[in-house]
Every structure is written in structure tokens, then in C-alpha cells.
Amino acid sequence: MSIDLLSLYSEIKQLMEKVDFSMLWRGFKPLRFALYNETQCCFDGEYIEKTDEFLANTAIEYEGEHIAIWDVMEPQDAKVLASKMIHEMFHAYQHICGETRFPDEAQALLSYRYSAENLSIKAEEDALIAALTHDFDEEGFERLLRLRRFRHDRFPYEYAYEAAIEQIEGSARFVELNALKQLSDEKYDKSLSASRKEVGDPLSLLPVRVVSYEIGALMLMLLKEHTNLDFETPSDVPFAIEMLSCVQNGETVPVNDRIEGLIRAYHDKTDAIVQRAKEAGRIEAEGDFDLPMVNIYDARCHGGFIVSRFFALYYDAGAPVVLNGDFVIELNGGDRAVRIYRLPEPLE
């Protein structure tokens, strides 16, 4: 089904004009945006040439201006899409404001360790977050902070990475939800309910980056409603670390056998994807490359291989090469790529 990008752009623009951006985040104002597909790009209400700059759903710098972009792959509810476009707009706003708390995604993909101890505690935290946004109680909130204090001290790298994602993506998801609330109470309630369900489900723990969007948004709701923490003021410290400044003692929980099983199953699935790619033998590039740009949203990494859905971007003699599809990237034992395999069929 062909989607008329110009008509869709006009509809999204009109919906955004109904949103009070000052209620979403201090100082946040609407920015220009683009909708695109495989062949077309509509920017600021006009069709323009689509270039390789338009990749993924994100914020980019286009002709010296920070804009939001969205890949329209299939029909979507206009109000939901408007809220998601505002999410990406907020990322552009973060860049404009000089936000410094972005995580090192490439390094984290290689370095974040899925520990059963860490994720067992995290599962307990997440269940509390989901419950507290539905029915708040002070004792449960204080226990949540103690659990997080323990992980902050015991797993500093992993906690810091999660805190950075919660800061950058969680705040954008928080803004997205509140924009959707202004457009439709019904759609907001449905989206918030889905967030609570995802955060409270241990199956959502892997990959940790994905659920961190929802965790960050729900944590910001709790902080806004039940604390005096001013998380909208520019800072170099993620709110998930700043909120622990007055928490003296941590708390832990026993390792959950189910979590150990989830980690094994996650790595086994990654290994199976890698094996399919190697058996198919469809090598797109071979040599010695800097770590390619991948779809970091839900990328996998295990055993010296990275799995990326939808695209991969690498540089050949200094020129960017964009590959569309699903790929497995073989590393050299460190942080450089030696082969890029195309998967024979799309990942689900």
C-alpha cells in the first residue's frame, strides 16, 4: 500500500499544532521534521531528494539544522505517529541544548555483560516501577531506590549505561507519552498500560536497551509526581544516578534461576542467527573496517559477532556504504569488523 507522504505530513503537522510543547519539557519547542520511505522524502511540507542521511527513526543534522526524521514503512495511527515524531524532535532538542549524557553505544554493545545477579535485582526493580506508577507507596519507592543503589555500586558500568539510556531515550519517551496524552486520553492510557506491562515482564530484560526507554519514562513520572528532583535542568549527571545521592544503603535479592535461563536462551538465539548467516555465506563486505553503524535499538552481540536488523553502514575507502536488510557482523576479536554477512531471510 502506497502512503502519500505529503498528506501524512500535513496531518501530523496539524496534530502537533494542538500540542502545548511547554507542558512537555521546560524550554522545548517544535522543530522541523521529515517523513520518508525507500524512494521519497517529505521535509517541511515539500518533497526533497532522499539521501543516505535519512536512515532510521532519529534526529539528524540536515543542512546545518537539527531535524527529526521518521521512516514510514507501514500505515500507522496519526496521533501515535505525531507523538513519536515529537519523541524524535526531543532528541534534536537535546543536541541543540548540548546534552552530554549520551551513552557510548558502540562500546556498550561490546562491553555490557548480562549477569544473572544484576538482572535478578533489576527484575525486582522493574516490577516495583510498574506497580508504583499504578499505585504509589513510599515504602515501595524507598526499596526501589535501595535496590538501584546496590546495583549502582556492584555493577557500575552496567548501571551507568542503563542510566544514560534512561536519560536520553527515557526522557524522549516521557515527552512522547505526555504529547500523546494531549492528543488522546484513550491512546495515552493504552500506551502507558503497555509500558507498565513491558517493564514488569522479565522477558523484556534482554536486550536491556529496549526496555530502558520505558523504564526511564516511568521513573520520570514517579520523580515528577513524588519527589522534588528537578530533572529538566541541564546537568552532566543522569537522573538515575542523581536520584541516589541521598540513598545510603543498598539492598539486593537472590539470583533468580529463571533469569539465568533467559540469559542462556538469549545468547543461544544470537548464536543460532550467526550460524544461519555463516551457513548462507552471503558476504557483503570483507576486509578490516571500523565498527559499522548498526541499528543499535535492539542489536545483539555475542561470541565476537554483532546482529543488526534493517541496516548496517560501513566505510569503504572513506565513503559510506549503506546496506539495507538484516546482517551479522564478524569482529576481529576486538572492536573492528572483518566480514559482514547478509541474513538469508528477515529476522522477526
Side-chain angles (χ1 to χ4, degrees), residues 162-326:
E162 294 167 26
I165 297 297
E166 290 170 20
Q167 180 66 55
I168 300 302
E169 295 292 355
S171 59
R173 173 64 172 148
F174 172 78
V175 164
E176 173 192 333
L177 277 169
N178 284 289
L180 185 58
K181 187 175 185 179
Q182 292 188 36
L183 295 172
S184 169
D185 284 334
E186 179 185 356
K187 295 182 192 303
Y188 167 79
D189 289 340
K190 183 178 179 180
S191 189
L192 178 57
S193 177
S195 290
R196 289 187 180 123
K197 183 177 180 181
E198 182 176 347
V199 169
D201 185 356
L203 288 172
S204 300
L205 286 167
L206 300 102
V208 73
R209 189 183 190 279
V210 175
V211 75
S212 295
Y213 287 52
E214 311 302 330
I215 291 170
L218 297 187
M219 277 301 313
L220 286 171
M221 288 183 179
L222 291 173
L223 294 173
K224 184 168 186 174
E225 293 176 19
H226 304 288
T227 77
N228 294 319
L229 183 66
D230 181 9
F231 52 78
E232 294 181 33
T233 295
S235 171
D236 293 329
V237 181
F239 71 80
I241 293 176
E242 187 176 354
M243 72 185 188
L244 301 178
S245 60
C246 295
V247 182
Q248 301 300 319
N249 299 311
E251 180 176 334
T252 187
V253 298
V255 172
N256 185 324
D257 290 343
R258 184 189 180 195
I259 300 299
E260 289 186 310
L262 290 176
I263 294 171
R264 284 195 302 271
Y266 180 75
H267 289 324
D268 287 348
K269 184 173 181 178
T270 304
D271 294 343
I273 294 170
V274 169
Q275 188 60 31
R276 282 209 312 274
K278 292 173 72 175
E279 288 174 355
R282 295 171 62 179
I283 299 174
E284 293 282 342
E286 192 167 16
D288 179 31
F289 310 107
D290 289 335
L291 192 63
M293 183 185 296
V294 301
N295 177 16
I296 201 65
Y297 176 72
D298 59 357
R300 294 165 170 266
C301 183
H302 190 241
F305 292 87
I306 293 171
V307 178
S308 177
R309 293 199 305 153
F310 303 132
F311 75 89
L313 183 154
Y314 71 99
Y315 288 86
D316 184 9
V321 179
V322 178
L323 302 174
N324 294 304
D326 296 342

Side-chain angles (χ1 to χ4, degrees), residues 4-14 35 42 47:
D4 184 339
L5 292 184
L6 193 57
S7 296
L8 180 59
Y9 178 95
S10 178
E11 186 175 9
I12 299 304
K13 180 75 170 177
Q14 290 175 28
L35 302 176
C42 179
Y47 282 110

Side-chain angles (χ1 to χ4, degrees), residues 44-226:
D44 202 31
E46 296 181 351
Y47 282 110
I48 64 170
E49 180 185 0
K50 180 183 177 294
T51 67
D52 288 342
E53 295 168 280
F54 294 89
L55 186 66
N57 305 319
T58 187
I60 64 170
E61 188 171 346
Y62 177 69
E63 296 186 346
E65 176 184 3
H66 290 284
I67 67 168
I69 66 171
W70 192 271
D71 185 358
V72 184
M73 293 189 287
E74 57 188 20
Q76 191 167 356
D77 179 273
K79 291 179 180 178
V80 172
L81 181 54
S83 71
K84 292 186 178 299
M85 200 76 250
I86 291 171
H87 174 127
E88 303 305 341
M89 244 180 225
F90 189 73
H91 286 320
Y93 174 73
Q94 289 170 327
H95 286 290
I96 291 169
C97 291
E99 174 64 75
T100 62
R101 291 167 288 185
F102 289 94
D104 185 336
E105 297 280 20
Q107 186 58 53
L109 187 58
L110 302 179
S111 301
Y112 188 101
R113 294 291 175 260
Y114 287 109
S115 154
E117 180 186 5
N118 182 32
L119 294 191
S120 293
I121 305 166
K122 183 170 175 57
E124 191 80 5
E125 287 173 18
D126 294 353
L128 273 171
I129 291 169
L132 289 167
T133 57
H134 181 73
D135 185 17
F136 184 82
D137 74 89
E138 193 65 38
E139 183 178 342
F141 185 67
E142 289 175 357
R143 180 166 185 256
L144 168 63
L145 296 183
R146 291 195 302 272
L147 289 167
R148 287 204 144 207
R149 175 86 250 181
F150 183 89
R151 284 204 310 119
H152 171 276
D153 297 342
R154 179 81 169 83
F155 302 98
Y157 180 85
E158 285 72 17
Y159 188 90
Y161 173 69
E162 294 167 26
I165 297 297
E166 290 170 20
Q167 180 66 55
I168 300 302
E169 295 292 355
S171 59
R173 173 64 172 148
F174 172 78
V175 164
E176 173 192 333
L177 277 169
N178 284 289
L180 185 58
K181 187 175 185 179
Q182 292 188 36
L183 295 172
S184 169
D185 284 334
E186 179 185 356
K187 295 182 192 303
Y188 167 79
D189 289 340
K190 183 178 179 180
S191 189
L192 178 57
S193 177
S195 290
R196 289 187 180 123
K197 183 177 180 181
E198 182 176 347
V199 169
D201 185 356
L203 288 172
S204 300
L205 286 167
L206 300 102
V208 73
R209 189 183 190 279
V210 175
V211 75
S212 295
Y213 287 52
E214 311 302 330
I215 291 170
L218 297 187
M219 277 301 313
L220 286 171
M221 288 183 179
L222 291 173
L223 294 173
K224 184 168 186 174
E225 293 176 19
H226 304 288

